[in-house]
Amino acid sequence: MGLINKVIRRFKTLSLWQRCLVGVVALVLCMLLFKGCSSGSSAESNSVEQLDRFYEVERGDFNITVLSRGALAAIENHQLRFEGKGSQGLSITQLVENQARVKVGDPVVSFADEDYLELIKDVEEELYDLKVDHEYDLEFQDELFIDDTRNLEENLDDIELNIVLFLETQSVARDKTVSVLTELANAHETAVDALDKYQNLEYRTESKKMQASADDQEQAYYEAMDAFEKSKQALSEARLKDDTTRDKATRAVALNEKKVATSISAWENARKAERRFRRYDHPQKLRRLVISSDKTLLDMKRQLVKADSDQVQNERRYRKLLRQKEQAKELIIERRLKKEEKLVTLEEDFFKQQERLDERLVELKDDYSKLVLRAPVAGIVEIGSGDQRGREPKVLAIGTKVAPQEVVARIPDLSQFLVNCSIPEIYRSRIQVGLDVIIKNAALPDLVMEGQVDTIASMSERLNRWDSRSPRIYKTTISTDTTDPRLMPGMTVEVEILVDSVHDVLFVPVEALYNKEGDTYCQVQGTFDVEERLIETGRVSTSFVEVLDGVEEGDVVLLHRKDQS
C-alpha cells in the first residue's frame, strides 16, 4: 500500500505530456498481456466456441412448446383450521415445526383458551341468574295475583252485600209504599164513602130535618095564630064578664100574642136555617167532601207514580248492581287468564333465553374442544395457508393472532400431485385443455414427469395484482399421474406444454434470428466470411423456428451476430 501511494504521488508531480506518455506505455503493455493470454486459451475454447456460437441447419422434427414455471401442489390437502363458530380472534400457544412429520391424532396447533373459559363461565353465571330471576318473577306474579284477586273478591263481596242491603231496603220500602198506598186508598175510600153518605143520606136527612123543622115552626105559628085569634075572641067575649075572666082572657091574649111572636121568630129562624143550609152549609160541606175525595185520590195517584218511579229507579240500580257483580266476576276471571298468559309469556321467554344460552354454552364448549387442532392423517405438516398471489405469506408463530376459519396448517396427500403455473397472455390462444405436458425438476434431473393441461382460468389477472404494469397471465393447472417419494409440495418445476409437432422441416434455434428494419435475418458462415441472409420463417416454438426460405440444409448459422460479439 505504501508503494502504491508513492507511485501516485510521483505521478502527480509529472507534467501533462509526461503523464500522456506513461498512459500510452501502460496501454500497450496491457494489450500485449491480453493477447498472450487469449492465444494461450484459444486451443481449449475452440471446440466450445463451435458448439456455443454455430449451428448446422438440418431437416427434422421439433415440437412447438410453451415453457413456463410452476409449483407442485398436492391434489388433496387436509387443511387445519379452527372450525368453531366463534368470531373472536385466536392466539397460537403451541405450534409444531414446519415440515414436521405427525401421526394421526397428534396435536399440530393449539390456541389460547382463557377467553373461552371466561366466556363459558359468564354464560353459566348468566344461566344461573336467569333461573333465579325466573323463579323470582313467578313468585312475584303469584303474590301480585293473590293481592289483585283479594281486592277483586273483596269488591265482589261488597257488591253482593250492597245487593243484599238493596233488596232488604227495597223490601222495607215496598212494604212502606204498600202501607202508604193502603192508607191512601182507605182514606180515599173513606172520603168517597163520606161523600156518598152525605149526598145520599146525610144531606137528605138534614134537608128533611130542616124542612120538617120549618114545617113544624110554620105549624106552630099557625097554631099560635089560631090560639091568638081564639084568645082575642075569648077576650072580646070576656069583656062582658067579670074582671077575673076578663083579666084571664087578657092574659091569654097577651100570652098567645107572645107565642105568635115567638112562633113567627122560630119559623123565620127555621126558614133562615134551611136557606143557610141549602145555600152555604150544604155546598161547603159537599165541596169539602169532594175536595177530600179528590185530594185522597190525587195523593194515591201521586204515591203510585212515585212508587212506579222508585220501582224503575230501583230496577235500574238493581241491574247496575248485577252488572257490577258480573263485571267483578269477569275481572276475576280476566285477572286469572291474564296471570296464566303472563306465566305462559314468562315461561316462553325463559325457555327461549335458556335455549339461547344453552346453545351458546354448547357452542362455546364445542369451540373450546376444538382449540387443539390434531392431525387427521399421518404426513408432513406445512404451516400456513400456502402461497397467495399478490400477498406476503403470513408468518405463523406462538403468539400470532389468527381469525376463525383461517387455515393455519396443511397436511398434503403425497400420493397425487398437480402443477399450478401461469401462462402469459400472449400464449393463451395456443393453449387448450388436454394438451400434453412434460414436467421437470432441477433438483431431480433424472425424473421426467408427464401430464396434461387440466384447467385454464376463464379470465386473466395481473401477475402482481397490486402493480398495474405487471403482465397479465392465466392461472393454469396441470394434472399428472407420476408419483415419486422424493416429490414434495411447493417444489419448483419447469413446464413444457406441447402445442404442436412439426415434421420434416428445416429449422434453426430462435437465437440465430434477429430482426432488422421489419424483416428477419440470420448470419451464415461462408467460405471466407460471414454473410447476412433474409429469412422467411414459419411455425415457431420457444426453442426453434421453422425456416421456409433463406438457408439450406447443411448451412452453418451463427447463434450470435458477429458485429455484436
Side-chain angles (χ1 to χ4, degrees):
M1 181 65 68
L3 179 61
I4 294 175
N5 291 334
K6 289 181 180 181
V7 172
I8 292 174
R9 286 196 300 270
R10 181 63 179 170
F11 182 76
K12 289 181 179 180
T13 59
L14 297 178
S15 61
L16 180 60
W17 68 271
Q18 289 175 337
R19 293 179 182 180
C20 293
L21 181 61
V22 172
V24 171
V25 172
L27 180 61
V28 171
L29 290 175
C30 289
M31 291 177 65
L32 291 175
L33 180 62
F34 177 75
K35 184 177 180 180
C37 292
S38 61
S39 62
S41 61
S42 60
E44 297 176 0
S45 62
N46 186 33
S47 60
V48 177
E49 186 182 53
Q50 291 294 328
L51 293 175
D52 293 344
R53 301 183 63 82
F54 298 95
Y55 179 82
E56 183 178 351
V57 179
E58 60 182 7
R59 182 177 295 275
D61 303 334
F62 72 92
N63 292 325
I64 299 177
T65 62
V66 174
L67 299 180
S68 181
R69 179 172 292 183
L72 281 178
I75 292 180
E76 182 178 359
N77 280 290
H78 298 281
Q79 296 181 340
L80 299 182
R81 69 183 79 189
F82 177 72
E83 299 290 347
K85 298 180 181 180
S87 59
Q88 60 269 23
L90 303 168
S91 177
I92 297 176
T93 57
Q94 292 183 359
L95 183 69
V96 300
E97 294 183 358
N98 193 30
Q99 302 296 325
R101 286 191 174 273
V102 294
K103 299 178 181 179
V104 177
D106 288 348
V108 178
V109 181
S110 298
F111 299 107
D113 59 0
E114 292 83 0
D115 292 341
Y116 275 92
L117 290 175
E118 184 175 355
L119 287 174
I120 291 172
K121 182 179 178 182
D122 291 342
V123 173
E124 289 176 345
E125 291 178 355
E126 192 172 352
L127 265 173
Y128 176 77
D129 294 339
L130 177 65
K131 293 179 181 178
V132 172
D133 293 341
H134 179 62
E135 292 177 358
Y136 171 77
D137 290 339
L138 292 179
E139 293 178 358
F140 175 76
Q141 290 299 323
D142 288 338
E143 293 176 358
L144 184 62
F145 174 73
I146 291 173
D147 292 339
D148 292 345
T149 305
R150 183 186 301 113
N151 294 332
L152 292 173
E153 289 177 349
E154 290 177 356
N155 184 38
L156 178 60
D157 293 339
D158 292 340
I159 294 173
E160 291 178 345
L161 180 60
N162 290 334
I163 291 175
V164 172
L165 294 176
F166 174 77
L167 293 176
E168 292 179 355
T169 304
Q170 289 306 304
S171 178
V172 174
R174 190 181 304 110
D175 294 341
K176 183 178 179 180
T177 302
V178 171
S179 176
V180 172
L181 285 173
T182 302
E183 292 178 358
L184 291 175
N186 292 334
H188 176 63
E189 185 178 357
T190 302
V192 171
D193 291 342
L195 178 61
D196 290 339
K197 182 179 179 182
Y198 176 75
Q199 288 179 337
N200 297 324
L201 181 61
E202 291 180 356
Y203 168 70
R204 293 179 181 180
T205 302
E206 188 67 23
S207 178
K208 290 179 178 181
K209 183 179 179 181
M210 289 289 181
Q211 184 66 38
S213 176
D215 291 342
D216 291 342
Q217 294 299 326
E218 183 181 3
Q219 182 66 32
Y221 168 73
Y222 285 115
E223 289 179 354
M225 284 296 296
D226 186 52
F228 178 66
E229 289 295 332
K230 288 179 177 182
S231 63
K232 281 174 57 177
Q233 185 177 358
L235 178 58
S236 61
E237 290 179 357
R239 285 179 181 178
L240 300 178
K241 296 181 177 180
D242 56 14
D243 294 333
T244 303
T245 302
R246 204 173 38 251
D247 291 336
K248 185 178 179 181
T250 301
R251 286 193 301 271
V253 171
L255 179 61
N256 288 325
E257 184 179 6
K258 186 176 181 181
K259 287 181 178 180
V260 170
T262 301
S263 61
I264 291 174
S265 175
W267 185 27
E268 289 296 331
N269 289 333
R271 293 179 63 185
K272 287 180 181 179
E274 183 183 5
R275 287 195 302 270
R276 186 172 59 251
F277 173 74
R278 292 183 182 276
R279 292 181 181 179
Y280 299 106
D281 295 342
H282 168 65
Q284 289 179 1
K285 188 173 182 178
L286 181 61
R287 190 180 302 110
R288 284 195 304 269
L289 292 174
V290 170
I291 290 174
S292 176
S293 176
D294 293 340
K295 181 176 180 301
T296 54
L297 179 61
L298 181 60
D299 290 341
M300 186 173 62
K301 290 182 177 179
R302 286 177 179 174
Q303 188 64 32
L304 286 172
V305 171
K306 183 176 181 300
D308 292 338
S309 176
D310 292 341
Q311 181 67 21
V312 172
Q313 292 180 0
N314 292 331
E315 288 179 356
R316 290 179 179 175
R317 186 179 177 189
Y318 181 67
R319 287 196 296 269
K320 181 178 180 182
L321 290 173
L322 292 178
R323 285 197 303 270
Q324 291 177 353
K325 179 180 178 180
E326 294 299 323
Q327 290 174 356
K329 290 182 179 179
E330 291 176 358
L331 287 176
I332 294 175
I333 297 173
E334 182 180 354
R335 183 63 184 88
R336 185 176 294 109
L337 295 176
K338 186 178 294 185
K339 178 202 173 184
E340 294 175 356
E341 292 177 357
K342 184 64 176 180
L343 291 179
V344 170
T345 302
L346 288 176
E347 291 292 335
E348 290 178 352
D349 293 341
F350 169 72
F351 286 124
K352 285 181 182 178
Q353 296 182 31
Q354 185 182 35
E355 184 180 1
R356 178 180 60 81
L357 291 176
D358 287 338
E359 291 177 356
R360 176 62 175 160
L361 184 61
V362 171
E363 178 182 316
L364 288 173
K365 289 183 177 180
D366 183 62
D367 289 353
Y368 177 77
S369 66
K370 296 177 181 177
L371 291 176
V372 178
L373 304 183
R374 300 182 181 275
V377 295
I380 298 175
V381 177
E382 294 184 358
I383 301 300
S385 60
D387 183 27
Q388 297 181 354
R389 185 178 302 277
R391 297 182 181 178
E392 290 293 331
K394 185 175 182 178
V395 178
L396 299 181
I398 294 177
T400 302
K401 300 287 185 179
V402 297
Q405 305 299 323
E406 180 181 348
V407 177
V408 295
R410 294 171 294 123
I411 302 178
D413 183 1
L414 304 181
S415 63
Q416 196 172 9
F417 291 91
L418 56 80
V419 178
N420 292 319
C421 64
S422 300
I423 301 300
E425 190 177 28
I426 58 175
Y427 296 132
R428 175 62 185 89
S429 60
R430 300 183 183 184
I431 307 302
Q432 303 294 332
V433 174
L435 293 179
D436 294 331
V437 182
I438 297 176
I439 307 167
K440 297 180 181 180
N441 177 258
L444 304 172
D446 60 325
L447 180 63
V448 178
M449 297 176 284
E450 296 181 353
Q452 287 184 335
V453 177
D454 189 34
T455 62
I456 304 173
S458 58
M459 296 183 65
S460 66
E461 60 181 67
R462 296 194 180 277
L463 183 62
N464 186 349
R465 68 181 63 183
W466 310 116
D467 186 0
S468 61
R469 297 172 296 178
S470 177
R472 304 191 74 86
I473 52 91
Y474 286 85
K475 287 186 176 181
T476 304
T477 59
I478 298 171
S479 62
T480 178
D481 294 331
T482 304
T483 59
D484 192 283
R486 297 173 295 175
L487 294 176
M488 297 295 293
M491 280 186 170
T492 302
V493 293
E494 299 292 335
V495 176
E496 185 177 357
I497 303 175
L498 304 179
V499 178
D500 195 5
S501 295
V502 180
H503 302 284
D504 193 24
V505 296
L506 294 176
F507 60 91
V508 297
V510 293
E511 54 263 38
L513 305 180
Y514 60 90
N515 290 325
K516 178 180 170 183
E517 297 179 354
D519 294 323
T520 303
Y521 294 87
C522 74
Q523 292 183 344
V524 181
Q525 181 68 47
T527 305
F528 301 102
D529 200 358
V530 176
E531 60 178 294
E532 185 177 63
R533 293 185 186 178
L534 179 65
I535 299 298
E536 183 181 354
T537 61
R539 288 164 288 186
V540 180
S541 74
T542 54
S543 300
F544 299 99
V545 180
E546 179 186 4
V547 179
L548 301 178
D549 190 19
V551 294
E552 299 292 338
E553 185 176 3
D555 290 344
V556 177
V557 297
L558 276 69
L559 301 182
H560 299 280
R561 292 172 62 181
K562 185 176 182 180
D563 54 357
Q564 293 182 352
S565 61

